[in-house]
């Protein structure tokens, strides 16, 4: 059974960092595109970052570009999102997602993803 489990969320102060992890079980990440999305209360889901299955090409939303880093370790079946220089507006539930698709282009559209994690809360507050 294919499953994604996120971890690493928490409460941090502005300017601090967090690393979110998303562990896959029941499948390998080879040939899968990956994405990180977030949803804040009262707001629509936002694509934060995504990575292609070929070449690990990455894309970031303008709101996080230069602060967040997406990565993957296929051998460990884990994807990561490093969140640096966090701001209060980064507060949200963060979700990882994957889908099988061989492509060099990162895909940051949520509707393209078949499998989702349960989400992990990130709260940035002083």
């Amino acid at each position: 059974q294919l499953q994604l489990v996120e971890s690493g969320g928490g409460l941090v102060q502005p300017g601090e960092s967090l690393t979110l992890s998303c562990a896959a079980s029941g499948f390998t990440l080879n040939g899968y595109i990956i994405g990180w999305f977030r949803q804040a209360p009262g707001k629509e889901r936002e694509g934060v970052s995504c990575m292609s299955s070929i070449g690990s090409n990455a894309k970031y939303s303008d709101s996080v570009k230069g602060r967040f880093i997406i990565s993957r370790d296929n051998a460990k079946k884990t994807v990561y999102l490093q969140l640096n220089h966090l701001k209060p507006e980064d507060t949200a539930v963060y979700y990882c997602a994957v889908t099988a698709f061989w492509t060099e282009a990162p895909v940051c559209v949520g509707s393209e993803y078949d499998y989702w994690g349960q989400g992990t809360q990130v709260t940035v507050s002083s």
Side-chain angles (χ1 to χ4, degrees):
Q1 183 177 356
L2 193 150
Q3 190 174 10
L4 298 171
V5 178
E6 295 122 339
S7 60
L11 171 63
V12 296
Q13 294 188 348
E16 294 186 337
S17 298
L18 279 176
T19 298
L20 306 183
S21 300
C22 175
S25 62
F27 69 109
T28 70
L29 289 175
N30 291 325
Y32 281 78
I33 57 173
I34 60 176
W36 283 95
F37 299 82
R38 68 185 181 185
Q39 189 163 22
K43 294 188 177 181
E44 293 187 355
R45 184 177 62 196
E46 174 190 12
V48 174
S49 180
C50 50
M51 180 171 277
S52 65
S53 52
I54 302 173
S56 295
N57 299 307
K59 184 177 180 180
Y60 299 90
S61 67
D62 289 341
S63 59
V64 307
K65 195 175 297 181
R67 299 189 297 121
F68 290 9
I69 302 172
I70 189 173
S71 61
R72 64 194 296 162
D73 187 331
N74 287 354
K76 293 184 178 179
K77 300 194 296 183
T78 303
V79 300
Y80 304 95
L81 186 67
Q82 184 176 340
L83 292 64
N84 299 314
H85 305 294
L86 281 161
K87 304 176 181 180
E89 51 264 44
D90 294 319
T91 295
V93 178
Y94 284 71
Y95 301 89
C96 65
V98 303
T99 199
F101 185 27
W102 284 102
T103 178
E104 294 181 344
V107 178
C108 287
V109 178
S111 60
E112 297 295 321
Y113 285 84
D114 295 324
Y115 305 102
W116 293 77
Q118 82 286 359
T120 186
Q121 175 72 45
V122 172
T123 303
V124 185
S125 175
S126 55

